[in-house]
Amino acid sequence: MNFQERTPSLSSRPSTTTATPRRSSSSSFAELHAVTIRDCVSFSNAWQQFDETGELRQPEPARKTMDQMLSRLGWWARALHGAREATPYR
């Protein structure tokens, strides 16, 4: 079984690469009139990134990335909240 057969997608289009499910979910969010952000927090070589208790060995890089991502998500939340109050979405 290959990746495309194992990976559920929110889109009716078939997946062709590992990045496609993320893009597919973005188009599904657009269909729901939701906004996506490009930022994400990821852990390459995850088994080496975490200790036996599940704690990050070096949390600062992930914390910095998460702070940036949440800052941008907060910006969009405030911007859209104000816009929806000024002009209700129909």
Side-chain angles (χ1 to χ4, degrees):
M1 183 180 291
N2 65 24
F3 177 81
Q4 291 85 355
E5 294 170 339
R6 290 192 318 252
T7 306
S9 176
L10 296 176
S11 173
S12 59
R13 293 176 291 208
S15 298
T16 56
T17 67
T18 57
T20 300
R22 184 173 174 193
R23 281 190 225 118
S24 296
S25 63
S26 293
S27 64
S28 296
F29 281 119
E31 291 173 14
L32 297 171
H33 302 272
V35 175
T36 61
I37 59 173
R38 186 171 186 221
D39 303 277
C40 70
V41 178
S42 63
F43 304 99
S44 58
N45 300 317
W47 294 113
Q48 288 82 34
Q49 300 290 327
F50 295 88
D51 65 18
E52 309 77 41
T53 65
E55 296 293 318
L56 278 168
R57 295 181 195 278
Q58 296 178 333
E60 264 325 292
R63 205 171 272 136
K64 181 179 177 185
T65 303
M66 187 176 353
D67 287 344
Q68 181 179 24
M69 182 188 71
L70 292 175
S71 174
R72 290 179 180 171
L73 181 61
W75 183 91
W76 275 107
R78 290 185 300 277
L80 292 173
H81 183 356
R84 287 183 178 137
E85 282 184 345
T87 309
Y89 187 79
R90 296 182 189 150

